[in-house]
Short mmCIF file of all heavy atoms in Angstrom, two decimals:
data_model
loop_
_atom_site.label_atom_id
_atom_site.label_comp_id
_atom_site.label_asym_id
_atom_site.label_seq_id
_atom_site.Cartn_x
_atom_site.Cartn_y
_atom_site.Cartn_z
N ILE A 185 99.88 102.72 105.59
CA ILE A 185 99.81 101.70 104.59
C ILE A 185 101.18 101.08 104.41
O ILE A 185 102.19 101.77 104.39
CB ILE A 185 99.36 102.27 103.28
CG1 ILE A 185 97.99 103.01 103.39
CG2 ILE A 185 99.21 101.19 102.19
CD1 ILE A 185 96.84 102.19 103.83
N ASP A 186 101.24 99.75 104.24
CA ASP A 186 102.51 99.06 104.00
C ASP A 186 103.22 99.68 102.77
O ASP A 186 102.57 99.96 101.74
CB ASP A 186 102.29 97.57 103.81
CG ASP A 186 102.01 96.88 105.12
OD1 ASP A 186 102.13 97.46 106.17
OD2 ASP A 186 101.66 95.66 105.01
N ASP A 187 104.51 99.76 102.88
CA ASP A 187 105.27 100.36 101.78
C ASP A 187 105.13 99.52 100.50
O ASP A 187 105.06 100.03 99.36
CB ASP A 187 106.78 100.46 102.12
CG ASP A 187 107.05 101.56 103.05
OD1 ASP A 187 106.24 102.46 103.21
OD2 ASP A 187 108.15 101.49 103.74
N ALA A 188 105.01 98.19 100.65
CA ALA A 188 104.86 97.29 99.55
C ALA A 188 103.57 97.55 98.86
O ALA A 188 103.47 97.44 97.57
CB ALA A 188 104.94 95.82 99.97
N VAL A 189 102.52 97.84 99.59
CA VAL A 189 101.20 98.19 99.00
C VAL A 189 101.29 99.52 98.22
O VAL A 189 100.72 99.69 97.10
CB VAL A 189 100.12 98.22 100.03
CG1 VAL A 189 98.79 98.74 99.46
CG2 VAL A 189 99.94 96.82 100.62
N LEU A 190 101.93 100.46 98.79
CA LEU A 190 102.16 101.78 98.09
C LEU A 190 102.92 101.60 96.81
O LEU A 190 102.60 102.25 95.79
CB LEU A 190 102.83 102.78 99.02
CG LEU A 190 102.11 103.23 100.29
CD1 LEU A 190 102.94 104.12 101.14
CD2 LEU A 190 100.75 103.95 99.92
N ASP A 191 103.92 100.71 96.85
CA ASP A 191 104.67 100.46 95.60
C ASP A 191 103.76 99.82 94.54
O ASP A 191 103.89 100.08 93.37
CB ASP A 191 105.89 99.55 95.93
CG ASP A 191 106.95 100.25 96.75
OD1 ASP A 191 106.94 101.54 96.76
OD2 ASP A 191 107.75 99.56 97.31
N ARG A 192 102.94 98.87 95.02
CA ARG A 192 102.03 98.22 94.04
C ARG A 192 101.05 99.19 93.44
O ARG A 192 100.75 99.24 92.28
CB ARG A 192 101.22 97.09 94.80
CG ARG A 192 102.02 95.81 94.96
CD ARG A 192 101.47 94.98 96.06
NE ARG A 192 100.17 94.48 95.72
CZ ARG A 192 99.34 93.88 96.65
NH1 ARG A 192 99.77 93.74 97.93
NH2 ARG A 192 98.16 93.40 96.26
N ALA A 193 100.53 100.17 94.29
CA ALA A 193 99.64 101.17 93.80
C ALA A 193 100.31 102.08 92.75
O ALA A 193 99.76 102.43 91.76
CB ALA A 193 99.12 102.02 94.97
N ALA A 194 101.59 102.39 93.01
CA ALA A 194 102.31 103.24 92.04
C ALA A 194 102.46 102.55 90.74
O ALA A 194 102.40 103.14 89.66
CB ALA A 194 103.67 103.64 92.64
N ASP A 195 102.68 101.28 90.76
CA ASP A 195 102.84 100.43 89.55
C ASP A 195 101.45 100.37 88.81
O ASP A 195 101.48 100.27 87.55
CB ASP A 195 103.36 99.05 89.82
CG ASP A 195 104.80 99.02 90.31
OD1 ASP A 195 105.53 99.97 89.99
OD2 ASP A 195 105.17 98.05 90.95
N LEU A 196 100.40 100.36 89.52
CA LEU A 196 99.09 100.18 88.96
C LEU A 196 98.53 101.51 88.33
O LEU A 196 97.69 101.54 87.43
CB LEU A 196 98.05 99.75 89.99
CG LEU A 196 98.21 98.30 90.48
CD1 LEU A 196 97.47 98.04 91.74
CD2 LEU A 196 97.82 97.34 89.40
N GLY A 197 98.95 102.61 88.87
CA GLY A 197 98.45 103.89 88.47
C GLY A 197 99.12 105.04 89.16
O GLY A 197 100.07 105.63 88.76
N GLU A 198 98.55 105.35 90.33
CA GLU A 198 99.10 106.39 91.13
C GLU A 198 98.98 106.07 92.64
O GLU A 198 97.88 105.74 93.10
CB GLU A 198 98.36 107.71 90.88
CG GLU A 198 98.89 108.91 91.58
CD GLU A 198 98.22 110.24 91.24
OE1 GLU A 198 97.48 110.20 90.20
OE2 GLU A 198 98.39 111.24 91.95
N ALA A 199 100.04 106.14 93.34
CA ALA A 199 99.97 105.91 94.80
C ALA A 199 99.24 107.07 95.49
O ALA A 199 99.28 108.24 94.96
CB ALA A 199 101.39 105.80 95.37
N PRO A 200 98.59 106.86 96.58
CA PRO A 200 97.87 107.95 97.25
C PRO A 200 98.82 108.99 97.83
O PRO A 200 100.01 108.71 98.11
CB PRO A 200 97.11 107.24 98.34
CG PRO A 200 97.97 106.04 98.64
CD PRO A 200 98.53 105.61 97.39
N THR A 201 98.35 110.12 98.05
CA THR A 201 99.00 111.17 98.88
C THR A 201 98.91 110.68 100.37
O THR A 201 97.83 110.33 100.79
CB THR A 201 98.38 112.55 98.71
OG1 THR A 201 98.47 112.93 97.38
CG2 THR A 201 99.09 113.53 99.65
N VAL A 202 100.04 110.66 101.06
CA VAL A 202 100.06 110.15 102.42
C VAL A 202 100.36 111.34 103.39
O VAL A 202 101.30 112.10 103.16
CB VAL A 202 101.10 109.09 102.59
CG1 VAL A 202 101.20 108.55 104.05
CG2 VAL A 202 100.72 107.86 101.67
N THR A 203 99.61 111.41 104.51
CA THR A 203 99.79 112.42 105.51
C THR A 203 99.42 111.93 106.88
O THR A 203 98.80 110.86 106.99
CB THR A 203 98.93 113.70 105.18
OG1 THR A 203 99.17 114.67 106.16
CG2 THR A 203 97.43 113.32 105.15
N ASP A 204 99.88 112.66 107.92
CA ASP A 204 99.43 112.33 109.27
C ASP A 204 98.49 113.39 109.80
O ASP A 204 98.19 113.46 110.96
CB ASP A 204 100.62 112.17 110.23
CG ASP A 204 101.44 113.39 110.32
OD1 ASP A 204 101.16 114.41 109.70
OD2 ASP A 204 102.51 113.34 111.03
N ASP A 205 97.93 114.24 108.86
CA ASP A 205 97.06 115.35 109.23
C ASP A 205 95.65 115.10 108.63
O ASP A 205 95.42 115.29 107.45
CB ASP A 205 97.61 116.65 108.70
CG ASP A 205 96.82 117.84 109.07
OD1 ASP A 205 95.69 117.71 109.58
OD2 ASP A 205 97.32 118.97 108.85
N PRO A 206 94.73 114.64 109.47
CA PRO A 206 93.38 114.35 108.91
C PRO A 206 92.69 115.58 108.36
O PRO A 206 91.92 115.48 107.42
CB PRO A 206 92.60 113.78 110.13
CG PRO A 206 93.47 114.13 111.31
CD PRO A 206 94.80 114.25 110.91
N ALA A 207 92.87 116.76 109.00
CA ALA A 207 92.25 117.97 108.47
C ALA A 207 92.73 118.29 107.03
O ALA A 207 91.93 118.65 106.18
CB ALA A 207 92.50 119.14 109.41
N ALA A 208 94.01 118.11 106.82
CA ALA A 208 94.55 118.33 105.45
C ALA A 208 93.99 117.34 104.45
O ALA A 208 93.74 117.67 103.32
CB ALA A 208 96.04 118.28 105.54
N ALA A 209 93.82 116.09 104.94
CA ALA A 209 93.32 115.03 104.06
C ALA A 209 91.95 115.34 103.59
O ALA A 209 91.56 115.02 102.41
CB ALA A 209 93.43 113.71 104.76
N VAL A 210 91.06 115.81 104.44
CA VAL A 210 89.65 115.96 104.12
C VAL A 210 89.37 117.31 103.38
O VAL A 210 88.28 117.47 102.80
CB VAL A 210 88.72 115.83 105.36
CG1 VAL A 210 88.96 114.49 106.00
CG2 VAL A 210 88.91 117.00 106.26
N GLU A 211 90.29 118.25 103.36
CA GLU A 211 90.05 119.46 102.73
C GLU A 211 89.85 119.27 101.24
O GLU A 211 90.68 118.71 100.53
CB GLU A 211 91.27 120.40 102.90
CG GLU A 211 91.04 121.81 102.37
CD GLU A 211 92.27 122.74 102.67
OE1 GLU A 211 93.21 122.26 103.36
OE2 GLU A 211 92.21 123.88 102.19
N GLY A 212 88.69 119.66 100.76
CA GLY A 212 88.36 119.50 99.34
C GLY A 212 87.88 118.14 98.98
O GLY A 212 87.59 117.86 97.80
N ALA A 213 87.69 117.27 99.93
CA ALA A 213 87.31 115.89 99.64
C ALA A 213 85.82 115.76 99.29
O ALA A 213 84.97 116.48 99.87
CB ALA A 213 87.62 114.97 100.78
N ASP A 214 85.53 114.92 98.35
CA ASP A 214 84.12 114.63 97.99
C ASP A 214 83.59 113.44 98.79
O ASP A 214 82.35 113.30 98.95
CB ASP A 214 84.04 114.32 96.51
CG ASP A 214 84.49 115.48 95.62
OD1 ASP A 214 83.78 116.49 95.60
OD2 ASP A 214 85.52 115.34 94.95
N ALA A 215 84.45 112.63 99.35
CA ALA A 215 84.04 111.50 100.17
C ALA A 215 85.17 111.25 101.16
O ALA A 215 86.36 111.33 100.81
CB ALA A 215 83.77 110.25 99.37
N VAL A 216 84.80 110.91 102.37
CA VAL A 216 85.77 110.59 103.48
C VAL A 216 85.42 109.20 104.00
O VAL A 216 84.29 108.96 104.35
CB VAL A 216 85.69 111.60 104.62
CG1 VAL A 216 86.59 111.22 105.75
CG2 VAL A 216 86.06 112.98 104.08
N TYR A 217 86.40 108.33 104.02
CA TYR A 217 86.23 106.93 104.31
C TYR A 217 86.99 106.64 105.63
O TYR A 217 88.11 107.07 105.82
CB TYR A 217 86.80 106.10 103.22
CG TYR A 217 86.41 104.63 103.16
CD1 TYR A 217 86.64 103.90 102.02
CD2 TYR A 217 85.79 103.96 104.23
CE1 TYR A 217 86.29 102.54 101.91
CE2 TYR A 217 85.40 102.63 104.13
CZ TYR A 217 85.68 101.91 102.97
OH TYR A 217 85.34 100.59 102.88
N THR A 218 86.36 105.91 106.55
CA THR A 218 87.04 105.48 107.74
C THR A 218 86.64 104.03 108.08
O THR A 218 85.69 103.51 107.51
CB THR A 218 86.73 106.43 108.94
OG1 THR A 218 87.63 106.13 110.06
CG2 THR A 218 85.33 106.30 109.40
#
Side-chain angles (χ1 to χ4, degrees):
I185 306 297
D186 285 352
D187 288 342
V189 173
L190 295 176
D191 290 342
R192 284 159 64 191
D195 289 340
L196 291 165
E198 183 178 347
T201 300
V202 176
T203 180
D204 60 3
D205 184 349
V210 305
E211 185 176 357
D214 298 293
V216 176
Y217 197 166
T218 191

